Amino acid sequence: MPSCGWLLALSVAALTGNTLANKQTERNCSTSPPYLPSTAVNTTLQLQRLRAQMRPLNITAYIIPGTDAHLSEYIAPRDARLAFMTGFTGSAGTAIVTQTKATLWTDSRYWVQAERQMDCNWELEKDGSISRVAEWLISEIPLGSEIGFDPFLFSINMEESYTVELASSNRSLKSIPDNLVDKIWSTKPPIPPDSLFCLPGRVIQRSWQMKVEHIRNEMRVNPYKPTALLLSALDETAWLFNMRGSDIPYNPFFYSYTLLTLDEIWLFVHTERVTEDLKVYLNTSCKGPLCVQLKSYNSVLDDLKTYVERAGVKVWIGTEYTNYALYEIITPQDKLLTSSYSPVLTTKAVKDETEQRILRDAHVRDAVAVIQLLMWLETAVPKGKETELTAAQYVNDCRSKQKDSKGPSFDTISASGPNAALAHYSPTEGTSRKLTVDEMYLVDSGGQYLDGTTDITRTVHWGSPTSMQKEAFTRVLMGNIEISRTIFPTGTRGVNMEMLGRRALWEVGLNYGHGTGHGVGNYFGVHEWPVGFQSNNIPFRAGMFTSIEPGYYKENDFGIRIEDVAVIVPVKTKYGHNYLTFDTVSLVPYDRKLIDTSLLSSQQIQWLNNYYETIRKLVGPELDRQGLHQVKEWMLRNTEPFVAPGSSATSGSSSLTLVLLAVTVFHDII
């Protein structure tokens, strides 16, 4: 699934049916009366009530981010304040309400979606940078105005950026801890009951006590001598205690904070959901350095204040995931220690031996589900009855039958033709298009399993692709391969090799407007920071898992993305030591019909053949175990080795002689 970084201005539109025009699916506020599609939400009452809340506070504008108090990418329905106010349900956006205007900022992935979901109370701005939002505020509100915000929904960097942008304008932010949207949201969903559980021992190598001691050692060796570590991101506490929950859709997290000192553990949760078994598991009945003290989730602010008032304390925070409300009470500054990421996130990024093994296993089972989908579509689409939505439902149903399945890891992206040009499009009853043999089809899907999280994208064509489609697909594949086969020194940053995913596209003037890869967890978030190819990701080390996902999107025509998950592994080189490469763990063949082997180098074909032999070796036995013999036959046909450059992408000899003679890809140095 593409991450949100490196976004370009890709203004794209999609048809919601094979014959429907954009004017029928997107609002038109310039007509009288305005045209609103059935998907638009009437927000008049929400805006009236919010403005009434703003007046006694003497704020001229109110900022509504699209996140929660843990700065999560995916949020629970009860935290969807942006959607409640605007009707827009995309995962990225910021709204601002004044007494006379309401404006939403979002990036190019969601412009079409916003036009379909918002009524004419709202204006859409297509540059979501804080500097642009600040410019708008300065132009719209009077001198001396205060702008309200909920400090729990602001990151530290966000608050600082707004403050800097507004500094010379005689306008300022006003922190309002009681969220104004919550005050008018009478139907806000409740906290779900009883959603906390601990992982089974078979998927755990390190107990929570071992993890606590490891992190405490990180605190001890830190030269700035922190006395406590505050964990705010939901996956930090879940990882530390080997626990999971179901508070967030697609993500097995639960509302929580942790304050870990050298001799105490404070766990902030909704305590009424902690069962007696969990209390025993967490050693809550004792007092000691490995005994967890349960605290009310809502008391974190007061309890943190109390701790900070102690003499000689210093609280370590990761600034990327600590909200401004917590940050601003850790004063004076000599009681604060900051780093971009907490030692929990940087430790969690490197999977231990058990985590690596079981995450690989999860990808084998996941490949079975995706291969089943591709085989089914190959037969079903020519009959003319299947849609983007039925395809999404089919792959999710296939996954649900796999061992340890816990549902999808995100809302499946199932897109054909012009819908596939929208990088984050997901079908609904109102937008799902019929699949045909005349169009490209892109499916980006993933699963949550007790032993791992998966994320894979394949693009296929069931008819006769154009020469441009074949070339674009092949060049996207070349980018995927070039990153995957790269050998690099330990500690190399992903951003320094990211261009390898784009080079083959750049050579012919093509590009893509999303990130090239993101970290993936062990039954965690499908986008797991801080691993990936962006400038704020940490250097690569052995044991990290990342997606590799170049793409290309032609507006109103088609979209291509090839995404695999790979683990970073040590590699032997002729002269140097401490070198790494990627080992692909996603195990689904690419569409042979779309590959122009005349564009590929011999090393790239070697890589493909080695990869296909790996699919046969690992997925074949799993298909046998599940009795899926026809699916195995399809897999074998689609993983036959490729022949020398210059030939078409049809199968060569059905034997594996070429594969067995191929030099291993890990010795191919760019």
Side-chain angles (χ1 to χ4, degrees), residues 140 221 412 471-472 515 586:
E140 293 291 335
V221 300
T412 298
E471 179 176 3
S586 301

Side-chain angles (χ1 to χ4, degrees), residues 485-494 496-497 500 538-542 544 568-571 573 576-582 669-670:
R485 62 184 288 270
T486 296
I487 293 173
F488 54 93
T490 297
T492 299
R493 303 181 71 89
N496 294 331
M497 66 178 76
L500 294 174
I538 60 177
F540 283 137
R541 292 174 53 194
M544 292 179 172
I568 299 164
V569 296
V571 62
T573 63
H577 302 287
N578 298 320
Y579 280 75
L580 304 171
T581 191
F582 298 98
I669 304 175
I670 291 177

